[in-house]
Amino acid sequence: MDDNNWIEIARTGIFTDSAGRRQTFTERDLDDIARAYDPAKRDAPLCFGHPQTDKAPAFGWVDRLKSEGGRLYASFSQVPDEVRELVARGHYRHVSMSLMPDRVSLRHVALLGAAQPAIDGLAAVEFADGGDAITVDFAAGRGKGDSMTTEELQRQVGQLQAQLEALKAENATLKKQAETHRQDRDKAESAKNEAEQKAEKASADFAAYREKVEGERREARVSELVKAGKVTPAEKASVLDFAAKLAELGGGTVDFAAPDGKTESLSMEERYFRELDARPVDERSVDFAAPVHGEPARGGNINPADLTAKL
């Protein structure tokens, strides 16, 4: 894998994380993160946004980290072509890394869409040669009341000024073309419409792809509940339908009190599955061919009287 496949996910400096806390990263910190990463023990997934639970699907995996010149780089594997195309088309322009509380173990790397980067100064990157570059992000946002350093402010002013000059030059060129070649304007409008249509199709294709992945995950989870005797086979279709409707609602979260007394903030679908997990086993729907509580398989020694008593 050549250097074009390395993506910058952090740099040295003082930043504000998604919880509004100041975080300082030195070259030694980045070296420690890169040195501690071992995908054979725990590989970090590539996700869309920051997932609420570890049950969210992965769209690639971090296979290596390296630290050079005050920058932290990651390389990815098993990234689906659909995801690469979305990045190449500019639908996901930023990335953000998430660390474990020890500030050394990489938890995941998130692709961000509309979220703006909390730091700048990182090189533009792409997943594969020939794609449009994406800008690297580090955290979800800057805490309320935080102020930028003079260096950050000057850098952003310089970037905005360069963008403004580029827009002015582009606007002058477009005006000249419109005055001398009216047909060029029509072609430009046609090209814009075509690009918008392609963008809409790409978004629709990805929505269908993500729905398929979520559906397969949901199906597998309910099948496990049926196998464990927490959901009866007759309930399976209605449980799947209700879980899908909860997922469609999206949005906010609800609190869930775990058996150990801890309270978690979960999506409504995840809380529903947690409640099903907590159900007592209904032995009428247990697979008699499978071991239960460490006992041997019971497929050939079923006592009709015992079964009748359970019913």
Side-chain angles (χ1 to χ4, degrees):
M1 182 176 294
D2 58 39
D3 290 342
N4 288 332
N5 291 319
W6 288 102
I7 293 178
E8 294 182 28
I9 61 174
R11 67 175 175 85
T12 56
I14 302 174
F15 314 107
T16 302
D17 66 13
S18 57
R21 299 166 300 194
R22 286 287 190 182
Q23 300 287 351
T24 300
F25 287 91
T26 64
E27 288 193 27
R28 181 175 179 179
D29 293 328
L30 300 185
D31 290 340
D32 290 342
I33 294 171
R35 187 164 43 249
Y37 186 69
D38 184 356
K41 296 180 180 178
R42 188 186 189 282
D43 49 351
L46 176 68
C47 308
F48 282 92
H50 293 285
Q52 295 180 357
T53 71
D54 291 337
K55 297 182 182 295
F59 296 90
W61 301 92
V62 176
D63 55 15
R64 290 185 297 170
L65 289 180
K66 73 175 182 178
S67 174
E68 289 182 359
R71 310 287 172 123
L72 183 64
Y73 301 85
S75 67
F76 298 86
S77 61
Q78 302 180 43
V79 180
D81 290 339
E82 294 89 340
V83 176
R84 292 177 181 273
E85 184 175 355
L86 286 169
V87 173
R89 291 177 178 273
H91 295 294
Y92 291 87
R93 296 176 54 81
H94 316 300
V95 295
S96 174
M97 81 169 182
S98 176
L99 298 173
M100 293 294 192
D102 61 8
R103 297 179 80 256
V104 173
S105 304
L106 182 65
R107 184 178 183 185
H108 64 255
V109 177
L111 286 171
L112 304 179
Q116 295 300 309
I119 65 172
D120 57 6
L122 301 181
V125 294
E126 56 190 40
F127 274 122
D129 292 341
D132 293 336
I134 60 173
T135 303
V136 177
D137 182 31
F138 174 72
R142 193 181 295 276
K144 184 181 294 185
D146 289 341
S147 58
M148 293 183 292
T149 65
T150 302
E151 181 184 2
E152 290 175 326
L153 182 58
Q154 289 177 341
R155 187 159 42 241
Q156 289 198 6
V157 169
Q159 291 174 345
L160 290 174
Q161 185 64 37
Q163 292 174 7
L164 179 60
E165 294 301 324
L167 288 173
K168 286 181 178 180
E170 182 180 0
N171 186 50
T173 301
L174 291 174
K175 283 184 177 181
K176 182 178 180 180
Q177 290 177 346
E179 292 171 356
T180 57
H181 303 285
R182 185 169 298 273
Q183 290 183 355
D184 287 349
R185 184 177 62 184
D186 295 336
K187 290 180 180 179
E189 185 65 26
S190 177
K192 175 184 175 184
N193 293 336
E194 183 180 355
E196 290 176 349
Q197 291 173 1
K198 289 182 178 179
E200 290 176 0
K201 184 179 183 302
S203 296
D205 289 345
F206 176 70
Y209 171 73
R210 188 171 186 175
E211 183 177 353
K212 176 177 177 295
V213 172
E214 289 293 329
E216 292 173 351
R217 175 193 62 79
R218 191 177 295 114
E219 173 76 24
R221 193 162 184 185
V222 175
S223 294
E224 287 296 323
L225 289 170
V226 172
K227 184 177 180 181
K230 303 297 183 71
V231 171
T232 66
E235 292 178 304
K236 183 176 179 180
S238 61
V239 168
L240 280 170
D241 183 63
F242 186 64
K245 285 183 170 58
L246 289 176
E248 289 176 3
L249 293 175
T253 59
V254 291
D255 291 336
F256 176 82
D260 60 4
K262 296 181 179 179
T263 300
E264 298 180 76
S265 183
L266 307 172
S267 68
M268 289 187 289
E269 180 190 13
E270 178 63 21
R271 175 169 177 173
Y272 177 51
F273 278 130
R274 295 286 183 91
E275 291 175 346
L276 292 176
D277 281 332
R279 276 184 173 184
V281 174
D282 185 348
E283 296 191 3
R284 293 175 299 176
S285 61
V286 171
D287 183 357
F288 286 97
V292 178
H293 303 304
E295 298 179 1
R298 298 177 289 171
N301 298 301
I302 300 174
N303 189 323
D306 291 343
L307 181 59
T308 304
K310 291 178 180 179
L311 294 175

